[in-house]
Amino acid sequence: MSRPTIPALLAAWRLAPDHVQLSDGASPDSLSAAERELGVDLPEELKELYLSTDGVTLDSGDLTLFTARGSEEELGLSDATATYRAWDWGLPEQVVLIGSDGGDSVFGVWSGKGAARAIVVQGEVSLGDPAMAVVGTSLAGFLAAWTAYYLPMVHGMNAQVLAVLDALQVPEALREGESEFDDEHVQALLAWGSADLPDDEPDPYARPVSVAELEALATTSP
């Protein structure tokens, strides 16, 4: 199986306009401004996505990617990251928050120096030490897996959902479309999207990943 890519993911999302909300791409200037505000270089994969769509929302609310700069109505990459740090979530300085699942979880990407890829972490509310787990060794891989889980769960196997799954080349064995949350199914899809996950049962509380482990993973070429 080839690794999911940002162009393939965008093409798949566009097959489900009733379920996936995209927007016009962010400008290079707005991404540069976000980098200055954050004090980091954003991963190339993240910039590739944002140049095509400035934020993403699944209509179920199970995934929202922040816009690059934000507005009065919504958080952007830099102010979301600053806001969560102000809430003492124990967020490492190298992690930039990019979105949430509509509940207690947020998603971030490692943006430290020397990063060779966009490692995606899921973070849970934590005072002091960060509670994070790696849910993707590429941004496209994580987003493809999350999409392949939540679209069928919420909408069933309708024509648009099937078109997305086909475009993403999701294996038939992983197309369950159950109506209730299933840890094992999510984990199987995350492993499909990122074959080299360091933990095949990522859990921010049970097995949180350390900053040193994140840096080592991010600076290792895929």
Side-chain angles (χ1 to χ4, degrees), residues 167-191:
L168 292 174
Q169 301 180 34
V170 178
E172 289 292 336
L174 297 180
R175 303 185 184 198
E176 296 182 10
E178 69 280 341
S179 60
E180 296 183 359
F181 190 83
D182 182 339
D183 280 335
E184 291 185 0
H185 188 192
V186 175
Q187 291 161 2
L189 280 165
L190 290 173

Side-chain angles (χ1 to χ4, degrees), residues 58-137:
L58 298 188
D59 69 336
S60 61
D62 296 294
L63 175 70
T64 297
L65 296 186
F66 307 132
T67 60
R69 299 302 309 283
S71 66
E72 293 182 0
E73 293 79 26
E74 57 188 0
L75 292 173
L77 297 176
S78 58
D79 49 356
T81 301
T83 297
Y84 280 84
R85 285 205 178 104
W87 290 344
D88 293 326
W89 269 38
L91 190 68
E93 64 181 13
Q94 302 94 332
V95 173
V96 172
L97 292 187
I98 61 171
S100 77
D101 70 348
D104 290 335
S105 292
V106 292
F107 303 112
V109 293
W110 180 267
S111 301
K113 291 183 178 180
R117 49 183 170 167
I119 299 300
V120 183
V121 297
Q122 180 179 9
E124 301 286 352
V125 176
S126 174
L127 299 179
D129 293 334
M132 300 179 298
V134 176
V135 290
T137 53

Side-chain angles (χ1 to χ4, degrees), residues 10 13 20-26 46 49-58 63-69 74-75 77 98:
L10 288 164
W13 277 341
V20 184
Q21 180 182 339
L22 305 176
S23 68
D24 294 334
L46 183 68
L49 175 65
Y50 272 73
L51 287 170
S52 293
T53 178
D54 191 9
V56 179
T57 301
L58 298 188
L63 175 70
T64 297
L65 296 186
F66 307 132
T67 60
R69 299 302 309 283
E74 57 188 0
L75 292 173
L77 297 176
I98 61 171

